Amino acid sequence: MITVNRRLAQPPLPRWQQLWREAVTDPLELLRLVGLEQHARRLLPAGDTGFPLRVPRGFIARMQTGNPDDPLLLQVLPQVAENLPQPGFVHDAVGDAAARSAHGVLQKYAGRALLITTGSCAVNCRYCFRRHFPYADETAAANGWRAALAAIATDTTVTEVILSGGDPLSLSDAKLAELGSALVAIPHVRRLRIHTRLPVVMPERVDAAFAAWLAALPLQKVVVLHANHANELDASVDVACARLRDAGCTLLNQAVLLRGINHSATALTALSERLFAAGVLPYYLHQLDRVLGAAHFEVTDAEALALIAALRHSLPGYLVPRLVREVAGEPAKTPL
Ligand SMILES: *Cc1c(COP(=O)(O)O)cnc(C)c1O
Ligand code: SF4
């Protein structure tokens, strides 16, 4: 029958898109899931929804039940500390609002063009500059890529295109394929770099269809993951990383140095070791952008430098990340 055929013709949502819809957005539910109902007084008052909670259930499953200081929980839980006075912390911490072009391309560094592909993420990280700028309208996707791709096509110095956001893997495979084909058609673009937290917070995103598309894409491919603590990596993340490697990607990680989450030599050593076990090399360790609401995560430069010195003693050189800060107007990330 026609109606039945029609229903059959509708492809089911990919599993990762179902998981996306099932993400936890209610802070009290999150506390219940990790056995911390009695900690509700720590939460931002309900109605303070400027930057709402959002976290996939698979990521919650990696949190330790009953631990109010769990390093994964602290990255996503909206806490009253965010509303304390924070001198020196501002809305636009990296001066990006001015640097953003209307069509979602950022060209600050030689040879590289960064595309703001989307404003959405699978997780809302409390320390992120994005908490004040969802960037919904300034993405390259908003105008169907045309202006963004034209800007890249006319500048023959661009050899590497970086997909950023938001999280570029929040786009559908079809959207990514459309973008990928357009980039392949630009002769001077040799490398595609993808900055994404999805293989960590929702590894199901790296499904067979996505991996097949990546493998077939005739560009050199780099995926820069974002994990801040060893506990974020489990067997499901290992699978996603293996798929990305099998698809021909070089895997790197960037982390943010966060007080109470990873600001110890022990935590950072464990992170590097765990990343390498998953086939990922540590790339950057970022000093926090001084964004309003994130002051309680800040680690001083002196502490940060001491931590890196300790890592140099405990790890092989290739597992020591570069400690950097983003300084508006500089031609590269600034080493500390
Ligand atoms: C961080 C960044 C890059 C990439 O810098 P690398 O040092 O190559 O990782 C490129 N463009 C912009 C606008 C950036 O902020
Ligand atoms: S851009 Fe990255 S750090 Fe910011 S909320 Fe999204 S996933 Fe988290």
Side-chain angles (χ1 to χ4, degrees):
M1 278 165 55
I2 290 165
T3 47
V4 172
N5 281 345
R6 242 189 228 137
R7 206 173 292 144
L8 285 176
Q10 280 280 333
L13 272 187
R15 171 143 170 77
W16 71 270
Q17 288 184 350
Q18 291 169 21
L19 294 172
W20 188 289
R21 292 180 178 189
E22 291 162 10
V24 171
T25 55
D26 173 5
L28 283 172
E29 183 184 2
L30 172 58
L31 287 182
R32 262 199 311 278
L33 285 167
V34 295
L36 292 169
E37 307 76 338
Q38 73 276 26
H39 285 258
R41 66 185 178 284
R42 275 167 71 184
L43 296 175
L44 271 184
D48 196 330
T49 51
F51 188 57
L53 169 77
R54 166 161 203 98
V55 56
R57 288 177 192 270
F59 194 72
I60 297 171
R62 292 171 234 161
M63 297 174 184
Q64 297 152 345
T65 303
N67 179 4
D69 300 320
D70 179 83
L72 278 54
L73 178 69
L74 294 182
Q75 293 182 49
V76 300
L77 191 69
Q79 299 195 73
V80 282
E82 295 177 19
N83 277 353
L84 297 176
Q86 313 196 335
F89 283 67
V90 296
H91 275 85
D92 183 11
V94 288
D96 247 10
R100 268 160 210 275
S101 65
H103 43 59
V105 183
L106 272 182
Q107 258 180 282
K108 296 203 291 196
Y109 303 162
R112 286 149 290 173
L114 184 147
L115 271 183
I116 311 287
T117 55
T118 166
S120 49
C121 291
V123 63
N124 280 344
C125 312
R126 307 314 298 177
Y127 51 84
C128 182
F129 66 89
R130 187 178 149 273
R131 55 182 298 142
H132 302 295
F133 298 98
Y135 292 127
D137 301 327
E138 290 170 52
T139 69
N143 64 11
W145 315 114
R146 215 165 313 128
L149 291 165
I152 293 167
T154 50
D155 184 346
T156 56
T157 67
V158 175
T159 54
E160 176 171 309
V161 172
I162 302 171
L163 306 188
S164 185
D167 199 310
L169 295 197
S170 63
L171 297 173
S172 68
D173 287 355
K175 273 264 172 213
L176 289 169
E178 182 190 326
L179 178 59
S181 319
L183 291 174
V184 167
I186 303 174
H188 50 271
V189 172
R190 294 198 298 269
R191 281 193 302 275
L192 177 69
R193 194 199 311 186
I194 303 177
H195 281 191
T196 176
R197 192 150 161 64
L198 263 159
V200 174
V201 301
M202 193 193 284
E204 296 85 354
R205 174 66 187 89
V206 188
D207 57 17
F210 174 74
W213 168 72
L214 255 190
L217 196 70
L219 292 167
Q220 285 197 294
K221 289 152 290 206
V222 181
V223 175
V224 181
L225 304 172
H226 175 181
N228 302 311
H229 193 279
N231 291 5
E232 291 174 53
L233 286 88
D234 68 357
S236 65
V237 178
D238 289 332
V239 169
C241 291
R243 279 196 162 155
L244 291 170
R245 267 201 322 283
D246 290 347
C249 301
T250 297
L251 298 186
L252 305 173
N253 182 68
Q254 50 182 341
V256 180
L257 187 55
L258 297 165
R259 178 169 301 284
I261 291 169
N262 62 10
H263 84 296
S264 72
T266 313
L268 292 172
T269 300
L271 174 61
S272 279
E273 295 276 11
R274 185 63 185 86
L275 285 167
F276 194 66
V280 183
L281 281 173
Y283 179 38
Y284 281 140
L285 179 63
H286 291 273
Q287 266 294 41
L288 188 76
D289 296 326
R290 303 194 85 201
V291 58
L292 199 63
H296 55 295
F297 291 126
E298 190 171 51
V299 177
T300 66
D301 284 358
E303 288 173 292
L305 287 166
L307 284 170
I308 288 293
L311 291 191
R312 284 206 192 92
H313 287 284
S314 66
L315 287 167
Y318 60 88
L319 291 186
V320 180
R322 302 159 178 78
L323 178 66
V324 294
R325 153 176 295 125
E326 175 116 25
V327 181
E330 289 296 313
K333 307 278 184 257
T334 308
L336 262 70

